[in-house]
Amino acid sequence: MGQKTNPAKNSNQVTEKKIKRTYTKKQKQKILEELALIPNGEIGAYLRRKGLYSSHIYNWKKQLENGTIEKKPGRKSTSNPQEEANKRLENEILKLKEKLRQAGLIIAAQKKIAELIGNPII
């Protein structure tokens, strides 16, 4: 018997790209409300009918708890460029402060070592 081959791999045909589905806040809330009324044994069948995964439900419940269910996933909205620059500079300041703290610890350790070997650093 010959080897089985995947026709999609061997052909030059373009395959159809799946479109990512998005749900509005109302749709998400309606689905969550419906799920609350369904007995546990039938939830899987409901999700299959709707084309959903349990991870969708888990994420939507978390979003509902956090109050972020209305926000769409994806790129973050661009905010004020000045605010972005400030955040970037604040992060840089924090990193530099940490490096300065580490340098201070290293210098203190070097001074102690120098004193122990009898060559004090002023």
Side-chain angles (χ1 to χ4, degrees):
M1 296 199 169
Q3 291 181 345
K4 292 182 181 180
T5 59
N6 185 348
K9 272 188 169 179
N10 295 333
S11 71
N12 291 332
Q13 294 177 350
V14 177
T15 58
E16 191 174 322
K17 186 175 181 180
K18 290 186 179 182
I19 297 173
K20 184 176 181 182
R21 291 173 289 171
T22 57
Y23 297 91
T24 64
K25 178 182 179 180
K26 286 184 179 182
Q27 289 172 324
K28 291 176 183 179
Q29 288 177 331
K30 181 182 176 194
I31 291 170
L32 290 174
E33 288 170 2
E34 289 175 1
L35 277 171
L37 302 174
I38 297 174
N40 281 341
E42 299 174 19
I43 291 176
Y46 174 83
L47 293 177
R48 284 189 294 277
R49 276 195 312 272
K50 293 284 190 176
L52 297 170
Y53 295 98
S54 59
S55 61
H56 288 124
I57 305 307
Y58 175 80
N59 290 333
W60 293 349
K61 285 181 180 179
K62 286 289 186 187
Q63 289 174 353
L64 190 61
E65 289 173 8
N66 297 335
T68 59
I69 196 164
E70 69 276 353
K71 295 182 181 177
K72 291 184 178 178
R75 287 186 155 183
K76 293 183 180 178
S77 62
T78 55
S79 60
N80 183 354
Q82 188 66 38
E83 288 177 11
E84 290 177 8
N86 285 344
K87 286 180 184 178
R88 191 181 76 253
L89 291 172
E90 286 173 0
N91 287 337
E92 188 176 337
I93 287 170
L94 290 174
K95 288 177 185 176
L96 291 172
K97 282 183 178 180
E98 177 60 21
K99 283 185 178 182
L100 180 62
R101 186 189 69 77
Q102 289 175 353
L105 292 173
I106 290 170
I107 291 170
Q110 287 174 337
K111 285 182 180 179
K112 287 182 181 182
I113 291 171
E115 287 175 7
L116 288 173
I117 61 172
N119 189 9
I121 300 175
I122 300 174

